[in-house]
Amino acid sequence: MPPKKRRVASGPPPPADMPANAAASADHAADTDPSSIDAPAAPTASTSSAAEAKAERGVLLEVCCDSVASCLAAEAGGAGRIELCSGLVEGGLTPSIGLVATVVAATSLPVMVLIRPRPGDFVHTAVEVGAMVRDVEAIGTVGAAGVVIGALDAEGAPDMPTLTRMVGAAKAAGLGCTFHRAIDMARDPVEVLQACVSLGIDRILTSGGSNTALAGASTIANLVTQSAGTAVSIMAGGGVTEDNAKELADRTGVTEIHGSFRVPLPCATRYRKQGVFMGGSKENTQESEFMIKVAGADRVAGAVAALADLEVKHFPVLARQDRLQ
C-alpha cells in the first residue's frame, strides 16, 4: 500500500501573545479531545517555502515530543521538525501508530518517529528486529517524514545486519532515517558515522557520548568534521535548553539541535485519589501523579530565537518533500 500524504491541520497556531501555560493547556485540551483538532488539509507550497526560508537563516530545531499537545506547542514555538516517541521517562520508545497518524494530521511539521521497542540496551533479538521492521513499514503508511533507528551488537559496534534491514524497509516506504543516541553507547562514534554513511542514513543524533551535549561538545565537533563531504548531518541533543542551544551550536558547528523543552502542567482530572501511584520503579509523589509534562511553546520559541541568527555553511533538507507533496 503506498504511503499516505502528510496532512496539515488548517487551524491557526495560538496567538503570539498567549501565555506559555495557556498555550500548552489549550494544546493539552486538543490532545485529550481529538474532535477539537481541525479537519486536515493538504500542505501548500507556501508552507514548505516558508519553512525552508526560515531554516536558511539559522540552525534547525527539532523538538522531541510524546503527545499531540507537545507537537502543537513545538509548531507554535517555531520548531522545524518533530521527533515523535512515547515513554520519555524511559529514554523514548516507539509510539502507537494511532498517535503517529494523529500528529501527522495535526501539524505541518515533518515528523520523525522513534523505533525502539523497549527500554534498556540497543542489542536486539531476532523477534525484536522483526517487530521494529514491521513498525517502520506501518509508519510508512501514515505520512511521517521518517524514522529514528539504531542498533548495536554485544561488543558496542553498529549491528549492520539489523540496520540494513531497517534502512531497507524505510527506503522502500520513502522514509528518511536518523540514527538515534545508541551512538552514545557505542565503542567508537566514528565507526557509527562510517556505518551511517555506507547505509545512506540522513543524520545522527548524539550527545557526544556524554550525559549532556555540552559535556560531549568536543566529540560532537569531531563528528561534524569527520562527516564533512558526506550526506550525513550531525544533530546535537541531550540536556539542551533555550539558554544553552546557541553555545552548543557555536562550540560544535552542528546545523541541527534537538531537545524536549518541557514544562509541567496539572492534569485535567478533578477527582484525585490519594495514596495510589501508577508506574513501576520510578519515584512518584502525590503531586507528580496528577502532573504531565509537555513542550512549552515559549521555551521552543526561545531556542529558535537563539539559533536564528547563526550562520551555517550547509543546511540539510527538512523532509522528503518529493514524497510528501
Side-chain angles (χ1 to χ4, degrees):
M1 181 168 56
K4 296 180 181 178
K5 292 184 179 179
R6 208 172 100 251
R7 300 161 76 189
V8 181
S10 58
D17 59 351
M18 178 181 287
N21 285 348
S25 297
D27 293 344
H28 177 48
D31 193 14
T32 55
D33 181 9
S35 66
S36 67
I37 298 175
D38 291 337
T44 64
S46 61
T47 299
S48 174
S49 299
E52 292 178 16
K54 180 171 65 176
E56 290 171 357
R57 294 198 298 270
V59 175
L60 180 141
L61 183 68
E62 176 182 276
V63 178
C64 181
C65 301
D66 62 357
S67 66
V68 179
S70 286
C71 293
L72 295 177
E75 182 170 34
R81 186 172 59 233
I82 289 167
E83 181 195 90
L84 184 63
C85 66
S86 65
L88 273 174
V89 71
E90 301 283 5
L93 300 171
T94 307
S96 73
I97 196 69
L99 178 60
V100 178
T102 301
V103 167
V104 167
T107 175
S108 64
L109 296 180
V111 178
M112 301 293 293
V113 182
L114 179 63
I115 305 297
R116 186 180 178 219
R118 56 160 174 79
D121 66 8
F122 301 103
V123 181
H124 294 290
T125 67
V127 172
E128 290 172 340
V129 173
M132 290 190 291
V133 169
R134 294 183 71 176
D135 279 336
V136 172
E137 293 169 344
I139 287 161
T141 68
V142 294
V147 289
V148 184
I149 62 174
L152 303 174
D153 66 22
E155 302 305 319
D159 180 349
M160 294 303 288
T162 294
L163 292 169
T164 298
R165 284 189 64 187
M166 287 197 287
V167 171
K171 290 185 175 181
L175 298 169
C177 290
T178 297
F179 192 99
H180 58 51
R181 287 189 58 203
I183 187 174
D184 296 320
M185 304 301 286
R187 66 187 183 187
D188 181 358
V190 174
E191 184 180 22
V192 174
L193 170 60
Q194 293 168 343
C196 290
V197 171
S198 68
L199 289 166
I201 290 173
D202 301 302
R203 72 184 57 81
I204 297 171
L205 169 63
T206 180
S207 64
S210 299
N211 285 327
T212 69
L214 275 178
S218 61
T219 298
I220 298 172
N222 181 57
L223 286 170
V224 171
T225 300
Q226 295 287 334
S227 67
T230 76
V232 178
S233 173
I234 305 301
M235 177 167 58
V240 176
T241 71
E242 59 272 40
D243 297 321
N244 64 24
K246 183 180 186 300
E247 178 187 357
L248 179 60
D250 284 337
R251 289 176 57 184
T252 61
V254 295
T255 55
E256 304 181 62
I257 297 281
H258 169 103
S260 59
F261 306 98
R262 296 197 295 170
V263 296
L265 288 177
C267 292
T269 182
R270 289 188 294 273
Y271 172 71
R272 300 189 174 193
K273 186 170 182 176
Q274 303 298 299
V276 178
F277 304 99
M278 299 291 108
S281 60
K282 66 179 182 180
E283 293 184 4
N284 281 355
T285 65
Q286 200 66 65
E287 180 182 52
S288 66
E289 191 64 34
F290 299 103
M291 188 75 67
I292 60 171
K293 290 184 177 180
V294 300
D298 63 331
R299 294 195 64 193
V300 173
V304 170
L307 298 171
D309 295 330
L310 292 174
E311 294 183 2
V312 292
K313 296 180 180 179
H314 163 71
F315 202 89
V317 294
L318 294 181
R320 300 299 176 91
Q321 293 295 341
D322 54 339
R323 188 183 73 81
L324 299 177
Q325 293 292 345

